[in-house]
Amino acid sequence: MRALIRETDISNSRLIAPLFLIDHPTNAREIGSLPGQFQLGEEPLYREIESSLNLGIKSFVLFPAVVESLKNTEATYSYSKENFYLKRIAGIKQRFPETLLISDVAYDPYSSDGHDGYVKDGKILNDESLPVLCKMALAQAQAGIDMIGPSDMMDGRVGAIRSALDKDGYSEVSIMAYTAKYASAFYGPFRDALDSAPKFGDKKIYQMDPANALEALREAALDEAEGADILMVKPALSYLDIIYQIKQFSTLPIAAYNVSGEYAMIKAAAQKGWLDEEKVMKEVLLSIRRAGADMILTYFAKDFARLSHG
Ligand code: PBG
């Protein structure tokens, strides 16, 4: 009876696994603050994708960890032909055409300033960042990406990227907008993983104030008008009300990003024997779905898939 009247389910097809990529043929390094998550060189990356596919996880969001010497203010490595991230996108698509790959489009992995946009005289400039974000998106489209993930909170980026893609014949490449991305302390472990913490100041001038909800709806309206295919809320757990509100507000599919700090807290408590990891993971993922997320980006993707397999 309980199963028959259940209102919400999670299935592997709703989960998207984030992966961290490094420019190395064979290395895999575990990330200290994200137990079970690795910086993956080329071979381990393909192995990780293969084992995820075998468990029923087909969607991945890819983040590059770039060495400091290749970073600069203009983030030029992001669209360079030499960029290993672009080669990996092509490599995955060639080996595993059944995957759905979502990219990261932002300055921060490539910026010597560690910010998501172009920095001049100590200021992060919104409009001046858009041309490089478009170049990045086009280079990724050329490499074979399925969906662009502009992960900053710059204004106008969805529209700019959409028209750049359409103009160059990539109208089939879709966009997952980071619609409501809050200036959150829950991103800490992610910044460790990529060594992408801002070199000065913080990200508050372009990420949202956790106190605001109506602003998230304004952002949703803008991203929808600019041509987004999916609207994302990030982080997920402290923002379940935002997921719910955006779901009511828009007919677009909604994604929620169960971020690094949310994963790390559960892993740490479980390691201490203070929480039952499996039960807490299921409860958390279920709550995000119940709030209205159609899909969840989560470091738990494989752990969850393993459970349903065994
Ligand atoms: C930045 C970006 C961040 C995350 C994804 N893309 C963090 C930040 O704003 O510094 C965080 C994801 C996570 O914490 O899991 N472009």
Side-chain angles (χ1 to χ4, degrees), residues 63 104 106 108 116 151 178 181 186-187 190-191 203 207 234 257 259-260 299:
F63 295 103
D104 182 37
D108 62 321
D116 286 13
S151 68
Y178 282 57
K181 178 173 179 181
F186 286 101
Y187 306 148
F190 177 96
R191 294 180 189 169
K203 296 193 172 188
Q207 296 183 351
K234 172 181 176 185
Y257 198 145
V259 299
S260 57
Y299 302 94

Side-chain angles (χ1 to χ4, degrees), residues 288-303:
I288 299 170
R289 284 274 295 131
R290 195 190 59 236
D294 297 290
M295 66 203 88
I296 308 173
L297 297 87
T298 178
Y299 302 94
F300 284 118
K302 243 180 131 185
D303 287 348

Side-chain angles (χ1 to χ4, degrees), residues 138-150:
L138 280 177
Q140 295 169 355
Q142 266 155 23
I145 203 77
D146 299 296
M147 196 181 281
I148 300 290

Side-chain angles (χ1 to χ4, degrees), residues 123-185:
K123 274 194 173 160
I124 300 117
L125 303 180
N126 186 92
D127 294 11
E128 287 77 354
S129 302
L130 298 179
V132 166
L133 296 177
C134 288
K135 280 191 198 176
M136 237 184 262
L138 280 177
Q140 295 169 355
Q142 266 155 23
I145 203 77
D146 299 296
M147 196 181 281
I148 300 290
S151 68
D152 56 57
M153 273 291 288
M154 301 285 155
D155 288 335
R157 72 221 187 290
V158 171
I161 292 171
R162 182 70 273 158
S163 38
L165 289 171
D166 290 351
K167 202 167 124 251
D168 273 33
Y170 295 106
S171 53
E172 80 286 7
V173 174
S174 45
I175 300 179
M176 173 184 274
Y178 282 57
T179 296
K181 178 173 179 181
Y182 286 88
S184 169

Side-chain angles (χ1 to χ4, degrees), residues 7 51-52 104 279 281:
E7 296 171 33
S51 64
S52 302
D104 182 37
K279 287 192 176 143
M281 167 183 73

Side-chain angles (χ1 to χ4, degrees), residues 53-98:
L53 286 171
N54 288 336
L55 289 167
I57 302 292
K58 293 187 177 170
S59 305
F60 305 90
V61 56
L62 309 173
F63 295 103
V66 177
V67 292
E68 205 57 40
S69 59
L70 290 171
K71 297 183 185 180
N72 58 27
T73 306
E74 289 83 24
T76 49
Y77 182 66
S78 63
Y79 53 86
S80 147
K81 288 247 179 311
E82 301 306 310
N83 184 353
F84 81 97
Y85 180 73
L86 301 172
K87 294 180 196 165
R88 289 299 180 276
I89 292 172
I92 300 169
K93 273 296 176 189
Q94 189 198 345
R95 287 167 181 79
F96 310 104
E98 69 273 41

